[in-house]
Amino acid sequence: MTSISAALLDLKRLDQLASGTTFLHRLDARAKVLATLFFIVCVVSFDRYQISALIPFIIFPAFLIVVGELPAKYLLAKVALVLPFAIAVGICNPFFDREVLLQVGALKLTGGWLSFASIVLRTGLTVTAVFSLTALTGFPAVCSALKRLGMPRPFALQLLFLYRYLFVLAEEGARAAKARELRCFGRKGAGLKSYASLIGHLLLRTWHRAERLHMAMLARGFSGAFPEPVKKRVRVADLAFLSLWVSLCIALRLTNVAGSVGALFTGSLP
């Protein structure tokens, strides 16, 4: 519980990174959101056995990290927290899809292993892009950009509240876990029964904490909409950034660059 809470609270650094001064930080949030969404659509649209065609898409998150001067180790550590879920989704594929689709020397790769690797690779690419977008823009600015792009305001507000509520839940969870550890003596109180009680108390504590936060917001004049910064006009740089990455993603989607290069050495790749 404590480690999970620490990991969630560490996500606050993403909003701190959004205060940078690089070229990417100054771009309009809508341009960055649209480019990232188009990138994600292209990545997930490939066939389940595709691997080589996905590799060139690494250029987009790598560009955001390098040009945006983002800490690569920090972002990759956050991506590593998500990858186990992707592994859990695709780990059974090799047992059900046993047809051999690729052979490199004596090594035979079945469709199950290829689809499993594709799932993990897609997850790594898309999650890295989303984390990079948040680090360059800030989650509140991302929600504001989504609303200006046509997302219903209630949905954008719920998304923002969900993001904020995660930190409330993490803080309360850390306090409850620490209190439980201080009250335990040896193995006493360390069973599943105590965890069930802990989760119940955690839900009640976070519920009451959220009610107090809501009352405080109403007392300060909250009317269902967060104050937004001065709206910026779309500049030439924003359009150039969006056009460049949309065009590049389309080109990479239609042309298997890595597969064509690999075919020169190892034959046809998936």
Side-chain angles (χ1 to χ4, degrees), residues 6-146:
L8 285 173
L9 292 174
D10 193 36
L11 287 175
K12 288 184 177 180
R13 189 181 175 189
L14 290 176
D15 287 330
Q16 297 173 353
L17 292 172
S19 60
T21 58
T22 66
F23 162 73
L24 292 179
H25 285 87
R26 296 192 298 269
L27 288 176
D28 191 286
R30 290 170 292 178
K32 290 182 282 187
V33 168
L34 286 176
T36 305
L37 287 176
F38 199 87
F39 167 81
I40 293 174
V41 170
C42 289
V43 169
V44 301
S45 65
F46 279 100
D47 181 78
R48 60 178 176 171
Y49 298 126
Q50 285 289 354
I51 296 178
S52 60
L54 292 169
I55 295 176
F57 281 88
I58 297 176
I59 188 174
F60 179 69
F63 175 84
L64 297 182
I65 292 173
V66 173
V67 178
E69 299 179 1
L70 301 177
K73 290 184 178 180
Y74 168 76
L75 292 177
L76 294 179
K78 298 302 141 191
V79 174
L81 294 176
V82 182
L83 287 182
F85 296 97
I87 294 174
V89 170
I91 193 62
C92 293
N93 289 12
F95 299 100
F96 294 101
D97 190 351
R98 298 176 178 271
E99 181 183 358
V100 177
L101 298 181
L102 176 65
Q103 182 171 355
V104 181
L107 179 62
K108 297 181 179 180
L109 294 177
T110 63
W113 283 112
L114 292 177
S115 61
F116 170 67
S118 180
I119 290 174
V120 175
L121 182 56
R122 293 167 202 255
T123 302
L125 289 173
T126 55
V127 173
T128 304
V130 170
F131 279 150
S132 301
L133 170 67
T134 306
L136 290 170
T137 312
F139 197 80
V142 171
C143 293
S144 177
L146 290 173

